[in-house]
Amino acid sequence: MTIGIIGGGATGLLFSWYLSRQNPLKIFVRTNNQAEKINDNGITLYKAKEPWTSKSMTASSSYEGLEDCGVILIMVKQYHLSGILPILSKLPKEIPLVFLQNGLGHLDDVNELPNENILLGTIEHGCQRIDSDSVRHNGTGLTRIAPLKGDVVRLKSILKDYDEDFPISFGDSWKQILYKKLIVNAAINPLTAVLNVPNGSLVDNPYFKKLLHSILEEIIPLFPEVDEKEMMQNVVGICESTKENRSSMLKDIEAGRKTEIDAIMGYCLKQGELLGHQMAFSRLIYEMVKGKEVEQGG
Amino acid sequence: MTIGIIGGGATGLLFSWYLSRQNPLKIFVRTNNQAEKINDNGITLYKAKEPWTSKSMTASSSYEGLEDCGVILIMVKQYHLSGILPILSKLPKEIPLVFLQNGLGHLDDVNELPNENILLGTIEHGCQRIDSDSVRHNGTGLTRIAPLKGDVVRLKSILKDYDEDFPISFGDSWKQILYKKLIVNAAINPLTAVLNVPNGSLVDNPYFKKLLHSILEEIIPLFPEVDEKEMMQNVVGICESTKENRSSMLKDIEAGRKTEIDAIMGYCLKQGELLGHQMAFSRLIYEMVKGKEVEQGG
């Protein structure tokens, strides 16, 4: 059963490398150049010292053959989804679709797809794209998947039996997994991007820790399903265990790339408006990141 | 009539150079090393291309001879004042004292000095210390002086007739000049220090401009004596006319030095508390600068 992966970024390459070890795999990327490089060289994974190359996949810069996949993982940034949804809506309804974006702003559109099984997931791996056909796997993390519509039965039968470097868990509540991931991202990413510090500074620096708490106090109440105290500890724990890491949003700012601020903080601000919550801190941080995008871009 | 200047930073050196052209001048600095260098080499001013050296001053690292000065300009940062006030309080009461600090937090202490004429001032020159005996004069600005206690008569007779590169104006209202300077500093300095941008970005970048307005909307109402609309335009105008400048607070952060955040924003936050004003944005920016001080220092 062929697995389809849409997206040739860091996570797309990482998943392609791991999942191609047990299944035929096709990766759909945006440029001819990347497709050719992957078809010629395979994908190389850097983990520890030894790079490992896998050639057990084919790459394509068109969506030809997408309908022959047994399952499709959509691994593009949320702001690239709009171009892909119309293509997905024409696929056979029995193909399970797995969406692995940050944020929640896309769920209404995704929900309207006619497919029977639509799954949502979050990724905790630390990874970094080195080149269009190579990726660094910095830290193993859990991939959590839960159904938005339908169930995970078919998907589970395809994605089973992976090794300990690539664990996948199947759950029932997409809200729990997506809300928690969103809160983590909304607290850590924009703040580290604005302050230009690694994750650990948000708990080591007493002033930055105060800011982290201020943000969390605004964000967590947007999601009454999430336990406030437990979530606070969770975020602090993540800052501690990823002390040296520079967040993806900080890296995006440094590289002059578009960030996921709208998918993450923009979504929270909209929720705050709907619920009538005061979001002064979050709004300020949002404006700062948007401004930094403009600054870096030009 | 000897002019005394306390403080060997950028403005202390700048004022010593200019004022020594028409009066005997004594500069009081903190280290033996700086005093010796100035006594050996004089003070060199860099403006345009040609450096000019003046030797018409003596320097001292003790306060010996302070009581013989006809007027004393106190040009240390606000956070260094506490060590100097006890010395000033023992001077002959007829010596006018001119305080040229940012912020307003020191005024209660200054007001208790027994001296008959206590003047307050603000400086608009752009300058930068190059070395302990040399300073760069980047831009000519007005020095504004007004009495906190007594009058400016005696001072005026000493500090008159300076050239167009060093204009001094004497006014009646210390509130107008200090409040306006404080608002400018509170709006521009912390924001540029946090965002790591030159002054111009606060008006060119639409997101940063929004932040500038948010800060001003919190700060200006703390000072009902100041016209809100005029002040807004004033700050925007300063950002435009000093487009390429990096603010003193940004430079302090970059160099790992202590900033004037407590004298500037700390004072505003205290005023806000007294008046019961909501200061969410200002507080966040304050915490960010304090955190950046810790980050750079540690």
Side-chain angles (χ1 to χ4, degrees):
Chain A
M1 177 92 69
T2 303
I3 297 176
I5 288 188
I6 302 181
T11 53
L13 294 175
L14 185 80
F15 272 61
S16 296
W17 192 92
Y18 276 103
L19 297 182
S20 71
R21 302 214 285 183
Q22 315 225 9
N23 284 85
L25 189 137
K26 191 154 188 179
I27 177 168
F28 298 88
V29 297
R30 274 198 296 170
T31 65
N32 276 331
N33 182 38
Q34 186 176 13
E36 277 170 25
K37 279 191 78 177
I38 294 174
N39 285 327
D40 289 349
N41 311 327
I43 294 172
T44 301
L45 184 88
Y46 290 80
K47 183 162 181 157
K49 281 168 197 161
E50 209 64 27
W52 297 330
T53 298
S54 162
K55 293 198 164 188
S56 327
M57 72 282 290
T58 58
S60 164
S61 62
S62 76
Y63 291 110
E64 214 177 315
L66 191 62
E67 69 282 1
D68 301 327
C69 294
V71 54
I72 299 169
L73 279 60
I74 298 97
M75 310 195 72
V76 299
K77 303 273 188 206
Q78 187 180 304
Y79 50 76
H80 284 138
L81 270 186
S82 55
I84 294 165
L85 292 174
I87 292 151
L88 298 176
S89 70
K90 290 181 197 107
L91 292 174
K93 290 182 189 38
E94 60 278 11
I95 303 179
L97 303 178
V98 189
F99 288 87
L100 294 152
Q101 280 67 39
N102 280 324
L104 294 160
H106 56 302
L107 296 197
D108 286 345
D109 293 333
V110 164
N111 216 359
E112 286 188 5
L113 290 171
N115 304 59
E116 288 156 9
N117 293 299
I118 297 181
L119 301 311
L120 303 174
T122 59
I123 302 166
E124 291 167 3
H125 292 279
C127 61
Q128 204 173 354
R129 203 175 99 149
I130 300 170
D131 198 349
S132 55
D133 58 0
S134 60
V135 59
R136 186 179 305 284
H137 194 185
N138 296 318
T140 294
L142 191 57
T143 300
R144 299 171 199 269
I145 295 175
L148 175 68
K149 212 158 103 177
D151 60 55
V152 295
V153 179
R154 191 164 174 199
L155 183 75
K156 225 168 164 174
S157 71
I158 304 171
L159 296 187
K160 65 176 168 15
D161 293 333
Y162 282 98
D163 58 35
E164 58 180 16
D165 284 342
F166 204 74
I168 298 174
S169 93
F170 296 92
D172 296 324
S173 165
W174 65 267
K175 287 191 180 179
Q176 281 292 333
I177 63 171
L178 262 71
Y179 289 176
K180 284 182 181 171
K181 180 78 186 266
L182 183 72
I183 293 168
V184 168
N185 282 336
I188 299 176
N189 285 11
L191 215 46
T192 52
V194 164
L195 299 171
N196 188 23
V197 291
N199 297 354
S201 289
L202 299 189
V203 290
D204 289 342
N205 184 312
Y207 297 100
F208 294 167
K209 193 168 184 177
K210 235 166 155 175
L211 294 171
L212 180 68
H213 275 268
S214 299
I215 290 286
L216 284 169
E217 276 164 14
E218 281 186 4
I219 302 290
I220 302 178
L222 300 174
F223 308 99
E225 294 84 352
V226 174
D227 181 84
E228 183 155 356
K229 211 176 143 192
E230 189 189 304
M231 193 67 220
M232 287 259 184
Q233 288 169 346
N234 184 6
V235 172
V236 169
I238 289 171
C239 288
E240 280 165 356
S241 65
T242 61
K243 228 174 169 48
E244 311 291 332
N245 283 15
R246 297 174 82 76
S247 75
S248 58
M249 197 172 286
L250 173 53
K251 284 190 221 153
D252 285 342
I253 288 287
E254 287 176 331
R257 285 189 299 258
K258 189 170 160 62
T259 73
E260 294 190 284
I261 189 70
D262 281 302
I264 294 170
M265 197 58 114
Y267 179 83
C268 293
L269 290 176
K270 265 187 214 144
Q271 279 306 104
E273 228 163 79
L274 281 175
L275 299 171
H277 287 199
Q278 211 265 14
M279 304 283 288
F281 289 105
S282 309
R283 189 166 299 282
L284 185 66
I285 300 286
Y286 173 84
E287 303 285 350
M288 285 184 167
V289 174
K290 291 295 274 186
K292 279 200 169 260
E293 277 186 352
V294 171
E295 211 64 18
Q296 297 298 97
Chain B
M1 176 93 69
T2 303
I3 297 176
I5 288 188
I6 302 181
T11 52
L13 293 176
L14 185 80
F15 273 61
S16 296
W17 192 90
Y18 277 102
L19 299 183
S20 69
R21 303 213 284 182
Q22 314 226 9
N23 284 85
L25 189 136
K26 191 155 187 179
I27 177 168
F28 299 87
V29 298
R30 273 198 298 170
T31 66
N32 275 331
N33 183 39
Q34 185 176 13
E36 277 170 24
K37 281 190 77 176
I38 294 174
N39 285 326
D40 289 349
N41 311 326
I43 294 174
T44 301
L45 184 90
Y46 291 80
K47 182 163 180 155
K49 281 169 199 162
E50 208 64 27
W52 298 329
T53 298
S54 160
K55 292 198 165 191
S56 329
M57 73 282 291
T58 57
S60 164
S61 61
S62 76
Y63 291 109
E64 214 176 315
L66 191 62
E67 68 281 3
D68 301 327
C69 296
V71 53
I72 299 169
L73 279 60
I74 297 98
M75 309 196 71
V76 299
K77 303 272 187 207
Q78 187 179 302
Y79 49 77
H80 284 137
L81 270 187
S82 55
I84 294 165
L85 291 174
I87 292 150
L88 298 176
S89 70
K90 290 180 199 107
L91 293 174
K93 291 184 187 33
E94 58 276 12
I95 304 180
L97 301 178
V98 189
F99 288 87
L100 294 152
Q101 281 66 40
N102 280 323
L104 294 160
H106 56 300
L107 297 196
D108 286 345
D109 293 333
V110 164
N111 216 358
E112 288 189 3
L113 289 172
N115 303 59
E116 288 156 8
N117 292 299
I118 296 181
L119 301 312
L120 302 175
T122 60
I123 303 166
E124 291 166 2
H125 292 280
C127 61
Q128 205 172 351
R129 202 176 100 149
I130 300 170
D131 199 348
S132 53
D133 58 0
S134 59
V135 59
R136 184 180 305 285
H137 194 186
N138 295 318
T140 293
L142 191 58
T143 299
R144 298 173 200 267
I145 296 175
L148 174 68
K149 212 160 105 176
D151 59 56
V152 294
V153 178
R154 192 165 173 198
L155 184 74
K156 228 169 162 173
S157 71
I158 305 171
L159 297 185
K160 63 177 171 12
D161 293 333
Y162 282 96
D163 59 34
E164 58 180 14
D165 283 341
F166 204 74
I168 298 174
S169 94
F170 297 92
D172 296 324
S173 166
W174 65 267
K175 286 191 180 178
Q176 282 292 334
I177 64 169
L178 259 71
Y179 289 176
K180 283 181 181 171
K181 179 75 187 267
L182 183 71
I183 293 168
V184 169
N185 282 336
I188 299 176
N189 285 11
L191 215 47
T192 52
V194 165
L195 299 171
N196 188 23
V197 292
N199 297 354
S201 289
L202 298 189
V203 289
D204 289 341
N205 184 313
Y207 297 101
F208 294 167
K209 193 168 184 178
K210 236 166 154 177
L211 295 172
L212 180 67
H213 275 268
S214 299
I215 291 285
L216 284 169
E217 276 163 16
E218 281 186 4
I219 303 290
I220 302 177
L222 300 174
F223 307 99
E225 294 84 353
V226 174
D227 180 85
E228 183 155 356
K229 212 177 143 191
E230 189 190 303
M231 193 68 220
M232 286 259 186
Q233 289 169 347
N234 184 5
V235 172
V236 169
I238 290 172
C239 288
E240 280 164 356
S241 66
T242 61
K243 226 174 171 45
E244 311 291 332
N245 282 16
R246 297 175 81 75
S247 75
S248 59
M249 197 173 286
L250 172 52
K251 284 190 223 154
D252 285 341
I253 287 287
E254 286 176 331
R257 286 190 298 259
K258 188 171 163 62
T259 72
E260 292 190 285
I261 189 70
D262 281 303
I264 294 170
M265 197 59 114
Y267 179 83
C268 293
L269 290 176
K270 263 187 213 143
Q271 279 305 104
E273 226 163 82
L274 280 175
L275 299 171
H277 287 200
Q278 212 265 15
M279 305 283 287
F281 288 107
S282 309
R283 189 166 298 283
L284 186 65
I285 300 287
Y286 173 84
E287 303 285 350
M288 285 184 168
V289 175
K290 292 294 275 186
K292 278 198 171 266
E293 277 187 350
V294 171
E295 211 64 19
Q296 297 298 98

